[in-house]
Each structure stands twice: as structure tokens, then as C-alpha cells.
Amino acid sequence: MKTQSKLEKVLASGALAVTSEVGPPRGAIPEKVKEKAGLIKDHVDAINVTDNQTAMVRMSSWAAGVIIKQMGLDPILQMVTRDRNRLAMQSDIIGAYSMGINTMMCLSGDHVKFGDHPMANGVFDLDSIQLVQTVKKMRKEGKFQGGADIKSPPKMFIGAAANPFADPFELRVMRLAKKVKAGADFIQTQCIFNLDKFEKYMEMVCDRGLDQQVHLLAGITPMKSAGMARYMKNKVPGMDVPDEVIKRMEAVPKEEQPEEGIKIAIESIERLKQVKGVHGFHIMAIEWEEKVPQIVEKAGLFPRPVL
Amino acid sequence: MQKLKDNQHNKSNGRSVLVIGGGVGGIRAALDLAESRRNVVLIDTSYSIGGLMTQLDRTFPTNNCDLCTVSPHLSENTRQIHLDLKPMTQLEQLTGETGNFKATLVTEPRYIDIDKCTACGECHKYFPEAVRFTPGLDPRAPTCMRYPQATPYAFSIDMEKVTDINALKKVCKADAIIPDDTQKKVTIEAASIVLSVGAQLFDPAILDNFGSGQFENVVTGLEYERIMSASGPFQGDLVRVSDKKPPKKVAWIQCVGSRGINKADVPYCSGVCCMYALKEAIVTKERFAESIETTIFYMDMRTYGKDYELYLNRAKNDYGVRMIRSRPHSIIEDHKTKDLSITYAVEEEVLTKTEAFDMVVLSTGFRIPETTIDLARRLGIELNLHNFAKTDHFNPVKTSRPGVYVCGVVESPKDIPETMVQASAAASMAASNLPAIMDVPESENDFIPERDVSGEEPKIGVFICDCGLEIGGVVDVDKMVEFAGARPDVVVSQAVGYGCSSDSMALIEASIKTNNLNRVVIGGCSPRTHETKFQDLLRRAGLNKYLVEIVNLRDQNTWAHMGQPKEALDKAFKLLGIGISGVRKSRPLMDQTLPMNQNALVVGGGVTGMTAALQLAGQGVKVYLVERSAGLGGLAKSIRKTIQGDEVGPFMNQLIDDVTAHENIQVLTRSIIVDHSGIPGRFKTGIQTGPRMNYMQLDHGVTILATGALPNRPDAYGLGTHDSIVTQLELDVLIEDNPEKIKAMNQVVMIQCVGSREPDNPNCSRICCQAAIKNALRIKAIDPDIQIFILYRDIRTYGFQEDYYRKARDLDVKFIRFSLDNKPEVRVENNRVSVFVDDVILGRKIQIETDYLALSTGMIADDETTEDLSMMFHLPRTSDHYFLEDHVKLRPVDMSVRGFFIAGTTHSPKTIQESITQAYAAAGRAQTLLAKRQINLGAAVAKVDGSKCAACLVCVRACPFSIPFINEDGYSQIDPAKCQGCGVCAADCPAKAIQLLAFEDDQIMAKLDGLFGGLN
Amino acid sequence: MENFEPEIVAFCCHYCAYTAADMAGSKRISYPPNVKIIRVPCTGKVDAIHIMKALEKGADGVYVAGCLEGDCHFKNGNTRAGYRVEHVQKYLEELGWETERVAMMNMSAGMGEFFARTALEFTQKIKQLGPSPIKRINIDKSQKAVG
Amino acid sequence: MTLQTKFSKGEFVILAEMNTPKGIDISDLVTNVRHLKSRIDAVVIPDMDNGVMHMSALAGGAIIRQQGLEPMIHIYGRDRNRMALQGDMLAAHVLGIHNLLVVQGENIAHGDHQNAKLVDDLNELDLLVMVHSLLKGTDLAGFELKGKPEFFTGCQVQPIQDDEHLEKEFISAKVKVDAGAQYIIVPPVFDMAWYTQILNKFKSLNVPVIATVFMLKNVGMARYISINDPGSRLSESLITRIRKSKDREAECIRIAGEMIKELKSVAAGIKISASGWEDRLPAILDCAEL
Amino acid sequence: MITAEQKPLSEIIEYISPYDRILLVGCNECVTVCAAGGRKEVGLLASALTLHFLKQGRTIDIKEITLERQCDPEYVEELVSEIDRADAILSMACGCGVQTIAERYKEKPVFPAVNTKFMGASESQGIWVERCRGCGDCLLGITGGICPVARCSKQLLNGPCGGTSNGKCEIDPDVECAWCLIWERLKALGMEKRYEEIMEAKDFRPAGGGGPRKIIREDLSL
């Protein structure tokens, strides 16, 4: 074991891991974090805590992570390179680790243009791959990015994101390889709706032997309505929602659409379980955390292993 | 006319060409000759030149306003030093022979001195009975000027209508009226004569069935033009004559008086009426109301000209002009409403129909008047059976009398572009009896050297015309003189009466010299008409011609504000202020010139190219005749006979021999053009020549494109699948070479419009109707018992071709009509060819078994070649890949790039005769350029100040002609020889490094200062 | 402001608008004498600065008159002139001036009546707008001085 | 390194054809040579090619030499007798011109001096024999020369339409090689498969085989060649390719460049004939990535 | 080239309102080329300002002068003869020019009339696009000649983010994804392997992270 991370343990055991996420509140409301985490606590192995998601100011991700940790659960600290330079990020990593957070995701983050501070300066001192490298260096070499030694280096289990659907497709596996090479231990993918394309992607991943080097958790998002499906197809950059999925959602009455969305999510998990290289699932139920247990159960991923 | 007098000495050193008739054709011929430094005497019986075209409202196919397109053409006239214009003049007698004619000319009294008349219109104002020239709708006034841009720019008096000559004399402040003016007779020496008197339009009043002259709302096509015209009787409102209300339903009746056998009819086709009826219908919808219903009653729609079929399609499809194939037999008027009802029959139906209209337009064609027949007798030329001039079959501008040439409608009915082509051709032929242009020295300007005014303080002379009362009657000239005199640097300010009169011009010239003036302001009429005149005056006085500013006190002030004298005076001060301030900043400028290369490149060695080459070579021009195939001759070599029965072969052989033997022609066969550069007058064209494609460069001043077209061979009606299915071209050869085979035939079928007038090749191929009839007549001549069927859509035997069409019908050639959506069908069974066609009249499908099926396939543009050449030469093409001339009406052989001319079938499909005519025309137009020793590029060119240039490329990108480039020194360079002088670069330059000479920024600023009273 | 007579500058291209103005004159069609024409070879030569300077020097309105769209003798000079007029209008907008004080017009050489009509309409519009803001302040001042 | 050494070392040799001027203005020739100096191995100077009078190739060769490049000049028997030819060859050596290409003079009837008197004292084979004799230090009359010249001499073959024709030209080339030709230049072919077949056939003669790349200039010229020179095998699709391109001149340059690229593996070298467009040769070489 | 764009007139007017004599200085380099501050724009701005102040009944003396380059002291020296007659200087050059003037004429207030935008290239007439951020450590050699620093919205150095669709950037469908361009170019050059190498965290000192930058050419300096 490289780290103390529970997620690492689950993955090492060969079981399919399950993660989900909690978005910190836009205010000093620790209860909200607890409430959201409470909804999913028994059904997941670890909980992502998002970092100023969609470039909107929220409670800092490490603080929310500490609250979750205090609940006895396992938070995954998300960190975007958009808001902090390498000094701030490394200091936060040490801080978070000191508070018992041992798993993190390294991301570049949505552009500030989309958020509530479009006039802010995007920092981007490092990109996500360089952040992975930095965290790895801290863990493995015990050195800061700048080269100085760390006293008692943090041992983070390092995650990164992958979007198999963004352009150019042929570059996606190569970019994954770069993240792995930089030191990513696990990968969470963008929401998967186009399963055919994802399977093709995974084939390429396996062809390069990346499945042997990294744990890949497939991203699953249940859709609440046909409207949401259309929105994700048309408005969310890098999202691939096939027309059949939208049609399927549209085919059922509006009130049954949430149920249909969950059904699709479950079917997707069932199908992806068979895909070589998929080591788990990351369920992003955006503002719909209460449905996570249902999905996990119906998809046959419950109960979670106790290690 | 001042200029003509001044340059009279130019005329004494050579014989002239006498051009009879001042319509567009005569003007074109005269201008072509004058531009190629030949002396011309242009006579016209009318008060001013312009002819029929100036009466038209708009012309097809562009629906442009004619006045705008024709007026620059006319005013060119007055600038030509080689041109002597004699209005109101007739030829009395012609003696002598080619190269040495003596022509006696008689000029009727005008009662107005052209030199004195300033066209102020005072006489007119006081005798205002009728101002406008509106034939058939208004009486003529006693004093008259036909239209605002008349040439000569002077009035004339109809003495018979004048009641009190003294009263009239009084109103003329220019003292131009000569009550005792008399007829004058002169004899001139002429080398050649060009006859271009046109024809009259048929007056349908003698036909009793259409009520022309009786029913107010029945008008002729020309009257309809006048009604629509802005200068017409209703100021451009389309209204009925009876109640001045806009019509809702207008009908046109075609072929009124033409293509008929009845009383007063002529048998030929007038050639132009289909197009003008379509134009009038379209303009009616376009300009007046989409809701006006337009209907055309016709027999055959003869839209055979270049892109005319597209115009017809537009009329039908885009404008909804209704077409009814019928020849109505009568019009009846409702006495109360003055509405009209037309009774007509259509082929498909038994009963006649009657329909009501508000207005009916009779499309009348051309007639040769008695006066022309009389003139022909005096000229000693023969006329044909229709009284048009009889001409050489292989040179349609050559009459029976050597040295006398014709052009325009007097030769045969035709429209404006064809008239223009013939005019240039006739001019070219006429010039061939004069010394070759290469041998005529360019007249030297005897101007004194220009005085160097640089470094001098401005010394401005202001001269203000009162123009009779035209200016002086509205604003106080003395006050203007006083105002101008008080402006800084003005040393002379005086009134000069009529500034443009010879006395005043002399006075100004003297004042410049004695007062040592270095800038001049003329307050008078528009610089558009008078700038050149005063520029010449400055040159005579030893000043650079760009040191004069004309202040438009008349056209843009007193004329426009005659009712507000106070305001007009104020404006006059300001305009003078603009002019005086502006001229202070003017600089002496040099017109850019380069020596002209006097060689010609003729591309294409067919009948057109050879004719043009020979014509130019005869004028001493060195000609490179470039042909891509191994021999000369082109498509015409495969034609045996013309419809007139002339043998093409011997004619072609003679032509080839002449061309090959001519010492001025270098024939380059197996030659492909590969590159091109240079400017008009100095082109350089690279060719690959000979079997091994040797590269060489030719230097030439002009280029004539005569690359021809291809015989069309569409995949239709089984062409190419059976020996008996051939094209008309192949049938022509068979008739001539193997009449025995023809004799053995019983039935022959011909199908027209094969691969033409179809969606993928929408235009008419023009030649196929006559080709089919030609071959039909020849077959009938071999054996009259052979049954011939011609399946057609419209028979387009324009002009005198109609005679052959009638003859074919007389000989029982069967004409069966079909439509585009119901084309004939060809089947081959047991090696026999059958044609199935729906007979409209019989109303059923018939089968015709045929021994021979001749397809009228016409021509198709040589897309590959024209595309290659258009890219290298930067020339535009039409949508169906023919070259596109500069102006479809007025410049039909000139291309948009100066120095390029087109002729023959590379322009559009045409017969051999038409190609030959255009070849002569192109050679003639080319001579207008080749006659120049220098290329004058004007002075208004953009100039770059390299020290300011930031090499930003704005000018390079903005120039509409791609002239600027960044030179080795790193700043923009604009070749003055190529600059067109628009000034776009100067306006866009962010570093203000470019100035347009003659319109520099500081001059414009100075003008603004002058206007607003500031002193720059 | 009743008897306000605006000063109007019209930059006219030689080939179309200037000829149209001559045509109006030869037909004795009246238009307001307020319009003073400055001739240019092509409206493509008219720089934004010429228009601005005209305003600066005292014009109450300025318009540029060229050939009809697509009929420019120099291909597209009139179109470019149109863009420049818009550019000046943007400046005027920023300065809080009425953008209608500058305009682009298109006409053919034969459109004498149209020339007169547009001259009249433009003059009327400027009359409605009143004197240029530059002049207005001077008038106000002088009125104040009197008052 | 001389052309001959380059061939012997198996280097891919690039020759550019450049005509002498019809006149005395050599500025274009010199400019074009300067632009190409480091990029080509030799300049081929035709002598009154196509029967069109030009400045003599001997002078052209000397100019090339002055510019520091190796010249290769045409020799042929149409216009000069054996005296003049031998004299010129000796002069050539002295002027530093060591590469000779023996060609058949074109028919005078297609040229610009159709009334000229035809000499035709020596044919191609005779010329090779003559050169061979000079190399040995003897003139054609058997007299010994004062000093022996050195030449690298090659020959040309005629356009080849089909297999039968190929066989005929092959035999004729073999005779020339036997008579002393040290390399062969093959006329242009636009169909690579056919060209490869031809070049391979001549390779068996064991002398360097040089392909000719003829630069097309526009559709008209391509069309002309396709009709009049069937041996060139210029296909309709090539014409269409030029027609469809936005910039035809650039496309023609690209076509020439691509042909050169393909020929690199087939021929010992190439001769580029831009006929009048020598200023575009650098662009062709760019396209050929040379 | 350095690109710039004229400031809103209201801002310029606010700067110079307190003064009566303005020296309006253009620059014949970059800002001329990008049509922000050459002779023509100087003229236009002068005219616009004149119009504004005339409207207020104020006559302001605006002296127009366009220097060859405002970022070279020798050229800026040319203002010496004019400077005494001016109360303030309005510069139409980029920030470099404004500062050069400010440094030379310390006694006079200097105001910028343009906003200096970026180092850009001309895409077509009238359109300029950002191409370089002057990061001081050029990567173009390994990114196929397309700069991820200037042209990727997130300045990513290791490939496109997950927001790319149809080759366009997530922030604006009109903006090309720099990494898609880089990838296409690398493929065309046969340099795909280059992509797989991880680009290490960038040293921002040459980009200005180490304070104001300076280039010293000792061989040239005096």
C-alpha cells in the first residue's frame, strides 16, 4: 500500500469501488455538508468534495473534507489549478493531509467564465498533469515542486479526471497515459452516456496496458428529465449524450422520467461492469444525492466491502 | 465646338471618313475613327445626335437607365479633335471612288449659332409650349433641345413655328440667334463613307384592326418607353393616356407589321421586338407595381442573343410575365372606360378568346423610309428586296459600292450591341482606305512649355461667367467678383460674360500671362463638361493643367436655386470660397505616360482570329496569331455552305493563304498561352509553342480573344448510337459531299434546341434554326419529294433569315412544335430510326420513321479554355462560360480589362458572317488603342510617402485592383501606371502615408476651410 | 431656432452623385441651397477624418453620396465609404451627438430628382436637429450674454 | 564533386534545364542559377532547342561555370559539321564544360528559321564516336591532338508510347551506350507506373538513367500534351486535378514536386524542365522536399 | 505586433478635461498597423476631442504629432520643441510608449488614449488575434508552432481539457481549441510522440514572475 487511503484498499482488493460526490455549500453551513454526506455514507467507499465547482465560490473543499472525515467517512479532496498557485496548493495539501485526508483528485477546473466571478484571473500556474506530478513528487520523493525537502511528506492517493468524449478522441487515451505517467493512481471519468464510444475508449486503454497501471472509475450520472439530457448534450462542453438516450427519456411521461434516468444509470453500470479496465464507479448525482443508495443497491454494488 | 475650330489644321493633312447618321451606330463609328486619329465628318439631319437610343427608357438585359449609359458616350464627342460634327446636314451628292470621294453636304439653317449658344434655355423658357421631346405624344416646340445631355449642347429653332422672331432674339442673352441663317453647301474629300442612318419604326396607324391612332390606350412600344421615361410626358409615371390612371393590365402584341403577308406588313423579322417587349414588361413590374398584369402575345419568342434566353426565363419565372402564343387579330375599345379587349385564338383550342386590358402596346419593327432609299441612290449603293443595304455575304458591312460601308439597322434589323459591333467594324473597314495608323504621325501639341510655379506664392485669378442670365440673372456677378477679389492671394477677379466663348477664353489666357497668375478659378458650369476645356486653356497659357479649379455656379447653384436669389448668392460665395481655398493647395501634376507597344496578340486562328489579324496587319500592326491546333481554320473549316448558299471552303482557303503570307502576321500554331503580365498597352504573354513546347514571350499592346466555341455534342436523342443520327454540321457535309446518299432518302427529321435552352445550358445557340432551314432547303433542292420534319420550340429566324423560313414552309417542310416538358422521343428498332412527338395542333402523338435524324446541337462554350484564359488575363466570364464583355450594350467587343477585345463565338454563338463582323469590330476597337504612341494614365494616382509608411499592408489588402505591394525598401509602392485613382488606399492608410494626387487631403481640408470662411 | 439654416457638406463621387446633382440643376429641380458639394473621384476616397473635420469646422450635417450599391466605378469604394460613415457615427454617439448628422447615400448618375429629394430630406432632418452642438453652445452663450 | 563522381557514388542527381536567351541579356539566366546554386547538381543547356535560334550553348555553359555550377550542354549535328563540332568540343573542355548530352536536333520546319540549310553531317552515333575519338586524343581525321579533353557524355531516348516502342528505344540506347554514352536521359512521362517500367528497362544497360520532369503550367498545356504526346501518358485525372485547384500554378508546381519525390527511388537522377519558368524551380524543389 | 484599441472617448475626455493645451502623440509602429494610434487615428481623435470641447464652448489646443516610435528615447526627444506649449500629453502608443514619454517629460502629465491589448497577428484585414504572451520561454518548437500559453484559455501545457467539443474551446465556440490545433499540427509533422512527453511545471520567472524583465545585450550596449 502506498497510502492509508480506503479507496486504495478497496481497489487493491479487486472489488469494484464506488465513489460519489458532495458539493460544499455556498455559505458557512457545516450542517449541509453533513446532511449530504449522510445520505450516501453507507453506499460509497469515498466521497469527492468538489473545489469551487463550476467556478462558483463555495466552502473550501479541504474544510468540507475535514467535516466529512470527522463523520468517520472518507473524503476525496478535489483540487483545481484554476484558483491557486503552486504554493497555495501544496500548503493546502499538507494541511488537508494533516487533518486526515489521504485521497485527492487533481483537476484543472472549469474556466472562470462560467462561474460567478468571470472577472477573476484564472491562475493556472500548473495544469492538472503537473499537479499530479507535484503530489506524486511530494509523496514519493518527499520534495516540494520547487525541490525543497518536506518534513514528513503527505502520502496522498492520487486521482485525476479523464473525459473520453472530448475532442480530439484519438488524444484521449494518450492524455490518460500522460496522467498515469505523471503519477495518477486512479481516474474518475466524465459522465458516460455513449457506452459504445466508451467501450472503444477502454479497448484502446487496455491496448496500451493502462488498465494494469491505473484504476479507472466510470462516471455515472442519473438524469432527472429529458430536458436535462438535452441540456447536457447541447450546453455542457465535452459531453456526449447520444440521441437514443434523449429519445428514450422523451418517450416516457414527464413524471416517470426520473425513474427512467435511474434505470439508464443502473443499466449502464451493469454493462460497464463487464468492461475490461473498469475498476469501479463514480456516481455524480448532481443535487440528487438521495438517489445514490438506490442506484448502488439496484446495480448490485451493495453492500460495500468492509476492510 | 471651339475646340474643333482650334484644331482645324489637323484636318487639312488628310482625307476624312464621312459618317452619315448620328445614332449610336454612327457615333460609335465616328468615335472609333477619331480615337484612332482618323479625321471624321459626322452628319445627321437632326438638331442633335443620339438617334433612337436616347428615346428609350431603359435597355435590357441590365434594365439600366439609358441616359446614364449613353450620355458619357455622347459627351466624348466634343473632346475629339478629329471629329467634325455637322448636325442638320445631308449628303447631296457623292462622286469619285474609294479613297478619293467627293461628298457634297448641305446644312439646313439652325437659326442658332452653336458656338454662342450656351444651352441656357432662356429661349425655351419664354416659348414653353412644349419642352419635352416625346414623339407621338407631344408636339415639338419652336425651340428645342431633345434631352438634357444633347450634343451639340445647343438649342435649335423651328422657324415655321416662330411667330415673333424679334421677341425670340431678345430673350437670347448670348446673342446666338441668327434670324437670317441660310442653307450652306460644302464639298469634302472623303476616303470612305459609313452609312448608319438606321430605320424608322413602323407606324401601325394604317392597320385598321389594332386601333393605333384611334384608341388612346393603344400605344407603340416606343411611346410606351416615353411614357415610362423620367424625361417623358408624365415625368416617369406609368399612366394611361386616356385618364392618367396607372394601368392594371397591359398587353403587348408582337410582330405588328412584321413577319406578315398582309397589307402594309413586311415579311422579315425585326429582330428586336421580342426583347423590348420583355424588357418593357419587366420594367413595368419592377418599377411600377408587381401587381400590374403583363401579357405578351407572340408567334415565336426570339430571344436568340447572348444571355437573352435567361432574360426570357426571368420574365416568365421571376416576374410572372404571361406569354400567350397567338397572333391576335383585333382590338376593340370600350367607349366609356377606354378599356380594350383583344380577341385571339390559340393553337390548342378551337374557339377564339376575348380578354380585356387597360393598355395595349404594339411591338412594331423597323422600316426603311423613302429618304433612305433616296440616299442610297445618291450614294450609288444597291438595296436588297426589303430596301435594306445589300452587302457582301462574307463582310456584312461592305456595300455594293467599294468604299461605302454600312452599319446598324440600315443593313438589317438588329439591336444595340449588334449595331455597336457593326459600327466598329464599318469604322475599321473605312479606315483601311486611309493611310495605315502606324504611318500617321501623332499630332504634336503646340503648347508652350509649362511654367515652373514651385516656390511662387499663390497668385490666383478668379474669372466668373454670368452665362447670360443663367448665372447673372439669379445672383449678382459683381458681388461675387468683389467677394472673390477680397480673398487672400486673389490678384485678379473679374466677370467674363460667357467664360467658354472664344473671346472670353482669349481674355483669360491673356490675363494669366500678363498678371503672371499661377492658379485659376473659373466660376461657371459643371467641371464634368468644362474642366478639360479650361485645362487646355491653362496649358496654352503655359500653366500646368491641374492648377485650375472649376466652381459649379450654374448647374449646382443658379439652376437649382433660381427661385432663391439671396440664398443662391450666399451659396455662390461659399462655393467660390471652396474653389479659391482649394486651388491654393493645388499642385502641378504630370499625367503618367508610358510608350505604347504597337503589336497585337490574336488568340485563336479560326475565321474570327484570322480576319482580325489580317485587318490589323493591313494597318501596319505586327500581329502574333496564336493557335493551339496544328493548323489555322477552326470550326468554320468544317462548314460547307452558308444559308445564302455561299461556299465556305474557298473563302477559308483564301483567308488562310492571306494570313500565312502576310509579312506583318506571325502565325504560331501548336501554341498554348501559359502566363501573362503587364498593363494595357504593354502586355507580356508567355506561350509554349511547337511540338516540343518551346517557351517564348510576346510583347504586345492589345489582345484580341477569338478562341471560339465548341460544337455541342450532348448525349441526347441517341446521338452517337446510330449512323443515321447526326448533327446539322455532319448533315451539311453530307449534303455537299454525297448528294447521292441524300437522294436515296424519303424522310428526314430534324430536332431543334438539342442541348440548348435546357436547364444545364439555358441559352439559345442562335445558329441552329437557320442551320436546320439551310439544310432543309438544300435537301429539297436535291429532291423536292423528300419529306422533311423540323421539330422545334420557337423558330428563331431573325432578320432576313425569315425569308428562308417562309421558303421552307412554301416548299412544304413540316414544322412541328414541342415543349421542353414534352420532348420528342427517338427509338431505334430493326436498325430504323423513329421519332415520336406530340403534335400540339393535332392533339396526339405521332410517329415519324426517318432515314436520317439531324440534331440541331448548336454550340457550347469551351469551358476549359476560357477558364484558363480568364484566370491568366483576369477576365470575367458568363455563367455559361463565354467571355463576358465590358458592357453588353455599349461595349460589346471590349473587355473589362482595357486592351482586351473579344470576337466570334468565344463571345456567344453566332454565324460566320456575324463572327467576321465582330472580328472587324475588334480590330477596329484595337486600333483606337494602337493609334496612341503613349499610354496616358492621368494624374490622379495614389502616391506613397515611404518615410511615413508603416508597411501595415492595409493598402495592399484594401485596393480593389491589387496594385500596392511592399517593396524591397520595406514600404508600400503603388505603380502609377496601374493605379486607377479611386483613393481607397489613401483613405484607409492608418499612417496617412498615401495621398491621392489631385485630391490630396490638404486640398480637401482647404476646401472645407474655404467653405466655412476659415483661411487655411 | 425657427430661421435656422444649416450648413451641409456633401461629398459626392464624380461618376454618380455629382452627375446626379448636375442633372437636378439642368432640370431646374430645386433643393435646399444649404447643401454644398465637394467632389471626390470616388466615395472610397472620403476618409472618416474628412467628415469629422467638416463637423469641426462648422458643418451641421455631412453626407457622403456615392454610386448605387454594386455600381461603384471602382468596385467597392461606396461600400467602404458606408463603413466609414458608420465609424464616424460611432464616434458621434460616444460624444453624445446626434448620429443622424452624418449619412451615406447611394444614387446613380441619372437620379437628379432623387438627389434633390435626399438633399431636401437631409436638410429637413438637420433643421429638426437644430444647429450643431458646437454652434448651439455659442448661441446659448450669446443669448446669455444678451440676457 | 563532379557529376560523374556523384553518379558513381549513387547519389540522386538533380539537373535543371535552362535555355540561353534569345538575345544577349543573360540576367534572367544568371539570376535563376544563383537561386538554385546550392540545390542542384548541374544545369543542362539546350542548344537551339526546338529549332529556335538562341545564344549558343557553349557560351551558356561557360556562364554557368562562372557561376560555380556544373554545366551540361547539348551537342547535335543539325547545324554544324564535324569541323565546327570538334572545334567547339575542344573549346568546351577549355571553358570547363565537361558534361555533354548528345541529342537529335529537332526538325527545322518547327523552328523559327525554317529556310535555314540543314547540315546533318553527323548523327547521334557519329557524335558519340567523335567524342570517344577526342577523348583518346585523336580527331575524326586521325590527327593527334595537343592534349586530350575529358568529357562525361550521355544520350537521350525518344518518347515511348508502348511496349513495342520501348523495345525499339532500348535497342537504340544500347547501341549508344556501346558507342560510349555514359548516361541516359529519358523523356517525361506523367504516369508513374509506366515511367517506372521504362526506367527499369533502361537500368539494365548499367549506366545511370535520368528521368525528365516536365513542368506543366496550366490546363491548356496539359491538355495539349495529353493529346499530342501519347507517350507522356498524361491522364484526364491529372488535368482535372489542375482544373479543380484554387491556384493552378501552385498545383502544377506541386505535381512536379510530387513526381520528383516518387522518382527518387526509381531513377539515378532527374532533369527538371521548367521551360521558361526557371524562376519557379526553387518552389518545385521545395515541394519535392529537396 | 503589439495591439491596442482606442479607449472610450469619455475616459480620454475625463483625463484631459483639466487642460487647455494637449499634445496628442501617435506612434508609427505597431499601433499604426493595428489602426489604433497612427497618424490617421491621431487625426480622428483630435477631431473628436475638438468636437467635444467645442460643444462645451471650450476651445482646446490639440497639437498632433506622430513619432516614428514612442518606445525609443531618441524619437521621444523630438517632442522637446512642443512640450513647453502643452499642459498635458495624450499618447496613442502602447503602454511602452506612454511610459517612455512619462519618463522623459516628468513635469507633464501623460495619459494613455489606448488600451494596450496583446501581442497579436493579423488574421485578415481589420482583425487581430492574440498569439503570444511573451512568457520568455518559447515552447513553440515542441507544440507544432501553436502556443498553448497564449491560445489555450487555461494555458494548459499537457493537452486539451475535457471541455473541448468539435475542436472548439469550452469558453467560446468561436475560439479554436489550441490543443486540437497543436495535435493536428503534430500529426501532420509526424511528431505525435512529442505529445506524450509531460511538459513539466512552467518556470514563470522568464514570464515576469521574477519581476520586470530586461534584456541586456552587452555587445550592443554602450
PDB file of all heavy atoms in Angstrom, chain D residues 57-68:
ATOM      1  N   ALA D  57      24.942  27.202 -76.811  1.00  0.00           N
ATOM      2  CA  ALA D  57      25.018  26.517 -75.522  1.00  0.00           C
ATOM      3  C   ALA D  57      26.416  26.597 -74.934  1.00  0.00           C
ATOM      4  O   ALA D  57      26.595  26.581 -73.726  1.00  0.00           O
ATOM      5  CB  ALA D  57      24.589  25.065 -75.688  1.00  0.00           C
ATOM      6  N   LEU D  58      27.395  26.676 -75.799  1.00  0.00           N
ATOM      7  CA  LEU D  58      28.770  26.739 -75.335  1.00  0.00           C
ATOM      8  C   LEU D  58      28.970  27.958 -74.438  1.00  0.00           C
ATOM      9  O   LEU D  58      29.516  27.866 -73.340  1.00  0.00           O
ATOM     10  CB  LEU D  58      29.675  26.842 -76.583  1.00  0.00           C
ATOM     11  CG  LEU D  58      31.143  26.526 -76.405  1.00  0.00           C
ATOM     12  CD1 LEU D  58      31.322  25.128 -75.831  1.00  0.00           C
ATOM     13  CD2 LEU D  58      31.848  26.644 -77.755  1.00  0.00           C
ATOM     14  N   ALA D  59      28.448  29.101 -74.907  1.00  0.00           N
ATOM     15  CA  ALA D  59      28.554  30.321 -74.109  1.00  0.00           C
ATOM     16  C   ALA D  59      27.727  30.173 -72.839  1.00  0.00           C
ATOM     17  O   ALA D  59      28.160  30.569 -71.750  1.00  0.00           O
ATOM     18  CB  ALA D  59      28.044  31.514 -74.915  1.00  0.00           C
ATOM     19  N   GLY D  60      26.542  29.570 -72.975  1.00  0.00           N
ATOM     20  CA  GLY D  60      25.686  29.356 -71.810  1.00  0.00           C
ATOM     21  C   GLY D  60      26.420  28.523 -70.770  1.00  0.00           C
ATOM     22  O   GLY D  60      26.414  28.837 -69.581  1.00  0.00           O
ATOM     23  N   GLY D  61      27.078  27.451 -71.248  1.00  0.00           N
ATOM     24  CA  GLY D  61      27.809  26.573 -70.338  1.00  0.00           C
ATOM     25  C   GLY D  61      28.902  27.343 -69.615  1.00  0.00           C
ATOM     26  O   GLY D  61      29.124  27.182 -68.416  1.00  0.00           O
ATOM     27  N   ALA D  62      29.594  28.204 -70.359  1.00  0.00           N
ATOM     28  CA  ALA D  62      30.678  28.974 -69.747  1.00  0.00           C
ATOM     29  C   ALA D  62      30.136  29.893 -68.653  1.00  0.00           C
ATOM     30  O   ALA D  62      30.756  30.049 -67.598  1.00  0.00           O
ATOM     31  CB  ALA D  62      31.389  29.786 -70.827  1.00  0.00           C
ATOM     32  N   ILE D  63      28.951  30.474 -68.903  1.00  0.00           N
ATOM     33  CA  ILE D  63      28.349  31.360 -67.897  1.00  0.00           C
ATOM     34  C   ILE D  63      28.016  30.566 -66.633  1.00  0.00           C
ATOM     35  O   ILE D  63      28.264  31.001 -65.510  1.00  0.00           O
ATOM     36  CB  ILE D  63      27.082  32.027 -68.473  1.00  0.00           C
ATOM     37  CG1 ILE D  63      27.462  32.999 -69.587  1.00  0.00           C
ATOM     38  CG2 ILE D  63      26.286  32.752 -67.393  1.00  0.00           C
ATOM     39  CD1 ILE D  63      26.311  33.400 -70.480  1.00  0.00           C
ATOM     40  N   ILE D  64      27.463  29.370 -66.843  1.00  0.00           N
ATOM     41  CA  ILE D  64      27.111  28.520 -65.699  1.00  0.00           C
ATOM     42  C   ILE D  64      28.379  28.215 -64.891  1.00  0.00           C
ATOM     43  O   ILE D  64      28.382  28.267 -63.662  1.00  0.00           O
ATOM     44  CB  ILE D  64      26.466  27.201 -66.180  1.00  0.00           C
ATOM     45  CG1 ILE D  64      25.231  27.458 -67.028  1.00  0.00           C
ATOM     46  CG2 ILE D  64      26.151  26.283 -65.011  1.00  0.00           C
ATOM     47  CD1 ILE D  64      24.100  28.148 -66.342  1.00  0.00           C
ATOM     48  N   ARG D  65      29.411  27.889 -65.625  1.00  0.00           N
ATOM     49  CA  ARG D  65      30.698  27.581 -64.986  1.00  0.00           C
ATOM     50  C   ARG D  65      31.145  28.777 -64.134  1.00  0.00           C
ATOM     51  O   ARG D  65      31.550  28.622 -62.989  1.00  0.00           O
ATOM     52  CB  ARG D  65      31.709  27.312 -66.116  1.00  0.00           C
ATOM     53  CG  ARG D  65      33.062  26.849 -65.716  1.00  0.00           C
ATOM     54  CD  ARG D  65      33.082  25.372 -65.444  1.00  0.00           C
ATOM     55  NE  ARG D  65      33.135  25.155 -63.997  1.00  0.00           N
ATOM     56  CZ  ARG D  65      33.108  23.965 -63.427  1.00  0.00           C
ATOM     57  NH1 ARG D  65      32.975  22.864 -64.164  1.00  0.00           N
ATOM     58  NH2 ARG D  65      33.186  23.836 -62.139  1.00  0.00           N
ATOM     59  N   GLN D  66      31.038  29.976 -64.714  1.00  0.00           N
ATOM     60  CA  GLN D  66      31.429  31.193 -63.986  1.00  0.00           C
ATOM     61  C   GLN D  66      30.647  31.332 -62.689  1.00  0.00           C
ATOM     62  O   GLN D  66      31.128  31.865 -61.707  1.00  0.00           O
ATOM     63  CB  GLN D  66      31.144  32.434 -64.831  1.00  0.00           C
ATOM     64  CG  GLN D  66      32.192  32.747 -65.862  1.00  0.00           C
ATOM     65  CD  GLN D  66      31.724  33.848 -66.807  1.00  0.00           C
ATOM     66  OE1 GLN D  66      30.700  34.483 -66.578  1.00  0.00           O
ATOM     67  NE2 GLN D  66      32.484  34.051 -67.874  1.00  0.00           N
ATOM     68  N   GLN D  67      29.402  30.872 -62.730  1.00  0.00           N
ATOM     69  CA  GLN D  67      28.559  30.992 -61.546  1.00  0.00           C
ATOM     70  C   GLN D  67      28.825  29.868 -60.553  1.00  0.00           C
ATOM     71  O   GLN D  67      28.149  29.747 -59.540  1.00  0.00           O
ATOM     72  CB  GLN D  67      27.069  30.977 -61.942  1.00  0.00           C
ATOM     73  CG  GLN D  67      26.644  32.178 -62.771  1.00  0.00           C
ATOM     74  CD  GLN D  67      26.887  33.490 -62.042  1.00  0.00           C
ATOM     75  OE1 GLN D  67      26.690  33.580 -60.839  1.00  0.00           O
ATOM     76  NE2 GLN D  67      27.352  34.499 -62.778  1.00  0.00           N
ATOM     77  N   GLY D  68      29.795  28.997 -60.902  1.00  0.00           N
ATOM     78  CA  GLY D  68      30.210  27.972 -59.959  1.00  0.00           C
ATOM     79  C   GLY D  68      29.364  26.718 -59.997  1.00  0.00           C
ATOM     80  O   GLY D  68      29.365  25.932 -59.065  1.00  0.00           O
TER      81      GLY D  68
END
